[in-house]
């Protein structure tokens, strides 16, 4: 099969497009014919070697944890999915080896859900990792409740844009940080945009004089510090970007594959309650360009790589 892979840590230039062996399919996995795979910052952080203390790499590594596609071969013990089923997945193992930037990926059923039929493969590929992150942080870590005021950082990004929609669906008022060019986009998601940078704490106090009931940090550093400073008494804080959150009494989260959470998200997408904005689509062979663009930190929604099939 054709795939993107890298044989050593380094910048996007280490990515190669070429022939790789087809994946083997274990008894509780399915072989997915990939239609689209989404870019996530964790892919390039891992490729650079930034995560090697906690994440082993078995080279050559095929990057990518997000996928949408079609089941072509269920494993012997799989009765959840059949040939032809359209699926989405957050296909993360505890090591880097065989990811989703390929024509085929073997995906354990615990990482999969049925693809919402009402959305295309490209939008669907952007849902699993960011949707699960947003859902698990809001509902498992922060335990947001209707009527609460919630702060979401990088509200125009992959995780933030889904967090705004999910928190609104939970009945919360949502304030989201974003650059001015993204303010209308954040409003369309249901959030109240606020510009980040110098003076952020004062702007947040104007919007939420009693403080935030919950804050979702996706940026770290100054964003985390300001989040802690603008919490209401008893407010909850969670970060996916900065372990310093512990020093503020908050929680650190790392998204887990969860078939039940993913099926729930797929249902929300099917009903149009959450959507994924597809910022740019690249063909598989141009994955390095897709990563270079994401590394600039300006993605609105998701950058997606699409695999072209003739049939
Ligand atoms: N621990 C976990 O489980 C987990 C899971 C997913 C992601 N993450 C991490 O969380 C971070 C966000 O992920 P993502 O996928 O949402 O990234 P992303 O989509 O690449 O984020 C891009 C967005 O960030 C915004 N942004 C950049 N700097 C900002 C700042 N200082 N304040 C507010 N917004 C800012 C940009 O908006 P503007 O153009 O408006 O500036 C852009 O829309 C990454 O570091 C990622 O590795 C962790």
């Amino acid at each position: 099969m054709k795939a993107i892979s890298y044989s050593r840590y380094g910048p996007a230039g280490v990515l190669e497009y070429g022939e790789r062996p087809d994946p083997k399919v274990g008894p509780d996995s399915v072989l997915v014919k990939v239609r689209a795979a989404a870019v996530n910052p964790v892919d390039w952080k891992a490729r650079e070697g930034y995560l090697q203390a906690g994440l082993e790499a078995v080279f050559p590594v095929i990057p990518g944890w997000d996928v949408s596609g079609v089941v072509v071969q269920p494993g012997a013990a799989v009765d959840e999915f059949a040939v032809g089923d359209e699926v989405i997945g957050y296909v993360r193992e505890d090591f880097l080896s065989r990811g989703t930037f390929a024509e085929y990926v073997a995906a354990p059923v615990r990482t999969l859900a049925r693809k919402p039929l009402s959305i295309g493969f490209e939008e669907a590929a952007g849902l699993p990792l960011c949707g699960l992150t947003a859902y698990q942080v809001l509902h498992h870590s922060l335990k947001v409740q209707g009527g609460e005021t919630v702060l979401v950082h990088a509200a125009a990004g992959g995780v933030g844009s889904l967090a705004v929609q999910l928190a609104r669906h939970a009945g919360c008022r949502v304030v989201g940080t974003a650059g001015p060019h993204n303010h209308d986009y954040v409003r369309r998601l249901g959030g109240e945009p606020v510009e980040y940078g110098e003076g952020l704490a004062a702007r947040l106090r104007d919007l939420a004089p009693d403080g935030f009931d919950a804050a979702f940090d996706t940026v770290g550093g100054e964003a985390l510090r300001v989040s802690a400073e603008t919490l209401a008494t008893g407010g909850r804080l969670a970060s996916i970007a900065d372990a310093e959150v512990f020093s503020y009494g908050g929680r650190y989260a790392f998204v887990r594959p969860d078939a039940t959470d993913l099926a729930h998200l797929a249902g929300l997408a099917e009903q149009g309650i959450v959507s994924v904005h597809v910022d740019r689509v690249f063909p598989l062979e141009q994955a390095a360009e897709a990563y270079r663009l994401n590394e600039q930190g300006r993605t609105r929604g998701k950058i997606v790589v699409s695999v072209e099939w003739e049939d």
Side-chain angles (χ1 to χ4, degrees), residues 61-283:
V61 170
I62 298 174
W65 284 343
D66 262 336
V67 73
S68 67
V70 180
V71 173
V72 288
Q73 183 194 334
V78 173
D79 49 20
E80 295 93 332
F81 299 103
V83 172
D85 285 349
E86 295 183 355
V87 291
I88 55 173
Y90 165 45
V91 191
R92 175 170 72 78
E93 307 281 1
D94 291 334
F95 53 94
L96 298 167
S97 174
R98 303 200 55 114
T100 58
F101 277 55
E103 289 181 321
Y104 295 95
V105 66
V109 289
R110 67 184 166 78
T111 67
L112 295 175
R114 282 172 198 281
K115 173 186 153 292
L117 293 174
S118 58
I119 65 173
F121 282 104
E122 289 162 2
E123 180 178 353
L127 185 65
L129 190 152
C130 288
L132 285 171
T133 307
Y135 183 82
Q136 291 172 3
V137 168
L138 289 170
H139 292 288
H140 302 175
S141 307
L142 293 172
K143 297 184 168 54
V144 298
Q145 302 291 328
E148 290 189 324
T149 301
V150 177
L151 173 62
V152 173
H153 285 281
V159 175
S161 60
L162 281 154
V164 171
Q165 296 172 78
L166 288 167
R168 289 291 294 150
H169 180 58
C172 301
R173 176 187 172 213
V174 184
V175 173
T177 63
H181 57 289
N182 277 320
H183 283 195
D184 281 344
Y185 172 63
V186 172
R187 279 187 203 98
R188 288 198 295 277
L189 298 172
E192 295 170 46
V194 59
E195 192 172 351
Y196 58 84
E198 187 73 32
L200 174 61
R203 288 191 288 282
L204 291 174
R205 277 194 208 94
D206 284 347
L207 284 166
D210 297 332
F212 292 93
D213 300 301
F216 185 168
D217 170 46
T218 61
V219 175
E222 182 66 5
L224 176 64
R225 193 187 62 73
V226 170
S227 300
E229 203 182 299
T230 55
L231 275 186
T233 307
R236 291 96 63 203
L237 175 63
S239 180
I240 57 168
D242 194 339
E244 267 302 303
V245 68
F246 293 123
S247 68
Y248 297 105
R251 298 183 64 178
Y252 182 77
F254 192 77
V255 54
R256 296 181 180 173
D258 185 304
T260 305
D261 287 351
L262 190 57
H264 178 69
L265 278 166
L268 295 178
E270 180 79 61
Q271 297 167 65
I273 291 167
V274 297
S275 62
V276 174
H277 173 81
V278 177
D279 198 351
R280 281 280 295 273
V281 180
F282 291 82

Side-chain angles (χ1 to χ4, degrees), residues 16-39:
E16 292 175 43
Y17 175 73
E19 214 40 61
R20 298 296 314 149
D22 285 353
K24 292 177 181 163
V25 186
D28 61 353
S29 291
V30 301
L31 188 65
V32 177
K33 182 174 170 175
V34 177
R35 295 292 305 273
V39 170

